Structures are given as structure tokens and as C-alpha cells.
Amino acid sequence: MIRLTTLLSLLLFPLLLTAQYHIQGHLVDESHQALAYANVLLLPPEGTQLVKGAVSDDQGYFELGPLPAGAYRLRVSMVSYRDWEQAVELDTADVRL
């Protein structure tokens, strides 16, 4: 049993060293009303291939992660609203929007 635990620890330890980040946010409109159930997409800086996606909850909050360090584009879309997009850099800390 000790050998199995040691082997698993050695195999999983490098995964703990890899930086993992999260993007959290609260979506509201111009009148500060929560945007419930909006689509939140994380895309590469160029291209349209989806990296990660989420849907905001009934209060407009969302979270994406865990994510590796790097540059991304965050796009929010919802029926009856124009899409919103922002560049995001994950390199030293989680991002809160």
C-alpha cells in the first residue's frame, strides 16, 4: 500500500506544479440588472476554437477554470444583447471581472 501511495504521489506531483488559473465575473447590463444565463466563451487570441465555456447563473455570476497560463479572448453573448469581448492574460493571478 505504501508503494502504491508513493508511486501515485510521484506521478501526480508534477500536475500540482502546473499553474492553474480561474476567471470569475458578474455580468450586468447598463442598468445594473444581472444577465442571467448568458453564454461565456473563452477563445484563443486568434481563431474561433472554443477553449472553455460556461453559462452565467441566475444572478449573473460565472466561473471558468482551471485554465493554463496564456492569452485568451473572453466573449459574452446573450439574446437581445450585442456580443461583448475582452482580451484576458492569465499569467500571475486569477482574473475577476
Side-chain angles (χ1 to χ4, degrees), residues 27-35 80-82 84:
L27 304 175
V28 295
D29 63 14
E30 296 85 11
S31 61
H32 301 285
Q33 296 296 313
L35 293 179
S80 301
Y81 289 88
R82 283 185 294 200
W84 176 86

Side-chain angles (χ1 to χ4, degrees), residues 41-52 70-75 85-88:
L41 309 174
L42 192 65
L43 306 166
E46 301 293 327
T48 59
Q49 184 175 354
L50 181 65
V51 174
K52 198 105 161 158
Y72 301 97
R73 287 180 301 135
L74 184 70
R75 180 182 296 164
E85 194 169 295
Q86 177 178 333
V88 176

Side-chain angles (χ1 to χ4, degrees), residues 26-28 33-38 55-62 78:
H26 184 212
L27 304 175
V28 295
Q33 296 296 313
L35 293 179
Y37 312 112
V55 175
S56 62
D57 66 13
D58 59 343
Q59 298 295 312
Y61 291 96
F62 72 92
M78 187 170 170

Side-chain angles (χ1 to χ4, degrees), residues 15-29:
L15 294 175
L16 297 175
L17 296 178
T18 305
Q20 298 289 305
Y21 301 98
H22 291 81
I23 299 173
Q24 300 173 335
H26 184 212
L27 304 175
V28 295
D29 63 14

